Amino acid sequence: MSQFMRSIRLENVTKSKNGHLILNNVSLEIPSGEFFALLGPSGCGKTTLLRLIAGLETLDSGRILLGNKDISSQPAHKRKINVVFQNYALFPHLNVYDNVAYSLAIQSKPKDEIEYKVLKLLKAFHLNELIYKKPSELSGGQQQRVAIARAIINEPEVLLLDEPLAALDFKLREKLLIELIELQDKLLTTFVYVTHDQFEALTVADQMAIMNHQGNIAQIGTPKQIYEFPNSTFVAKFVGNTNIFTGSLEMLNEPRFTVPDLGTFSINPSIVKEKTIDPNKTTIMSIRPEKIYISKKPVENFSNTLTGIVSSIVYNGRSTFYEVLLNNKMKLQVFEQNEEHFPQETIDYDDRVFLCWQKENVVLLER
Amino acid sequence: MLAKRKRSITGEIKLSEANLNIDKLSNPTLTKKKKTSLWKIFKSEALFTIGSTPIIWQIIFFYIPLLILVATSLVKTSTSGQFIGLTLEHFYPLLNTTYLTIIFNSFGLSLVTTFLCLIIGFPLAYFIAFNGGRLKNVLLFLLLIPFWTNFILHIYAWFFVLEKHGFLNNLLLDLGLISSPLHFLNSTFSVLVMMVYFYLPFMVLPIFSSLERFNPLLLEASYDLGANHRQTLQKILLPLTLSAIRAGIFLVYIPSFGEFVIPELMGGDRNFFVGNVISLFILGEKTGPVGIAFTVLSTLCLLISLFFINRFFQYLSKKITGEA
């Protein structure tokens, strides 16, 4: 099977349930052999999209192609697409071995072939000591590994993962994410990873799509593109934290952005050109909290500076999160790396601080 | 500084308030400790009393009478009621083909009833549990409504359906499927219809409650892994509902073996089952001991058959979990 066969193309997919439009004319191309993440808020229809690809639900209109073959009307058990379900859906009456062997046993493959394949895979997944255990006797991480092993034993063209790490604790999640990336590198199967957790999506994805509440794809791109250059306020707010300023853009010899009651800030001309924003409309400027420098003394060499009063401080270990009250009553979020054991200045509550950023580090958004 | 930090994280909780709450909480817990232990003893005693009552009830009103029954069937008494000795003579009249055929027929009736209840009840329970949606409870309720009305009324209702110019015959005549009315009443057919009608909920309820707890994602996982509907039924759905199916089978099989009202009223005089014979003997003159012997014999047969059914299910569940 050629690599090309593993790409998925959705064309004008529409789906409603109980009178609610869940997916509204979604078109999406998932390239072959990529780790693709589908990120969206809860209830945005991303799980429905995954179930449509798996064949567990039927389309209202549009079509789904695997490679160049239309699979829209193929039933789930005939598609070479497997799912790692949320909460795993392991068969409780079967032990680890039989769970993993299930899809091979269904095809009535010879016993020794099944045994060879299953044991090899279980060994690679460090599950070979647990083959006689029932799912209920396993830890969350082990169950998750069994679920993945069960889904990939039959070498699917595409592996769909539906929030596979949602039930696990943070440390384990980080570890399993790395394992998933390594696994995908080895298999070269197309992975589609559905999650509402931006950290997971940014970590694993080669490319990712953001879904919004209207059942549309808001943006597609690499994690870096999505994070650094969101194309809408929704994406900017949903992926990571950001500070949103509403104001108007003026085009003098240099573009300037004016926020009422706060001030005027210079903007890099290339950002404006890229976006082709209408200067007459209200515009939104977004600045990521970590792109702002905070200090009690004025700092030179920054294109923009604001002042404010520190209203809250949350120490997170590797970084400190500040909330600063600005003159227009807006609260600005700032992240600062804790680079030194003994910082030269300590910022405390109610301190007057200077907030500085470079003009290249902002994003202009419509609406 | 500490107080300030706290405010910054949650924004609401103040340290002084938190302290107050701790004070408020600490006192009642101290005083409660004594009460708790007393309450615990009372609770465990109460549970013991409540739990043991039905057991005592069972012993007095079921096991002791059963023993008396068995003893009576083995005892020879004089005409004045005096104990003479042990005997098997009450069983002798039963060792003829008529009675053995009746026991055999009863097995047949209860097995067929159970089988029909299973193949009708399982899809019904499946439908209510998975496709019922908001109507789930209503559908279950509808299934149970017949239990509210008097049993004899049911039987008369079925008379109207099955009689010569009844609903069923009229329907078949109107559809042109038959040219003259069929004879439904007083036949094995009418007995079976009534038996299935009456015992169906006993099959549906345990299977329904098991299916309701069943995670439908398991079925989807099975389809996703390449299994078709038949394979999914065989490898996932049936194994996981096996214990409920067994419960349903026992609930239908055991009482339908001894059922005598339905055959009596629906079966005419040709359909004789264990229950009818027992009632005839025990109510008849001088045939009491033979009736008791017959009861003991048929109970024994039932127990043996239950043993085999149970074995069959053990074999099934072993086979299911042993190999995928």
Side-chain angles (χ1 to χ4, degrees), chain A residues 239-259:
Chain A
V239 184
N241 286 354
T242 194
N243 295 296
I244 300 283
F245 294 92
T246 314
S248 54
L249 191 69
E250 290 168 283
M251 299 291 286
L252 303 169
N253 45 354
E254 204 194 26
R256 303 182 77 76
F257 188 82
T258 309
V259 181

Side-chain angles (χ1 to χ4, degrees), chain B residues 6-7 40 46 51 84-85 127 134 136 143 189 281 307 322:
Chain B
K6 203 121 203 170
R7 179 171 61 98
K40 259 189 184 166
I84 296 171
F127 178 80
R134 271 178 303 167
K136 208 191 272 184
L143 187 76
F189 173 77
F281 274 140
F307 173 79

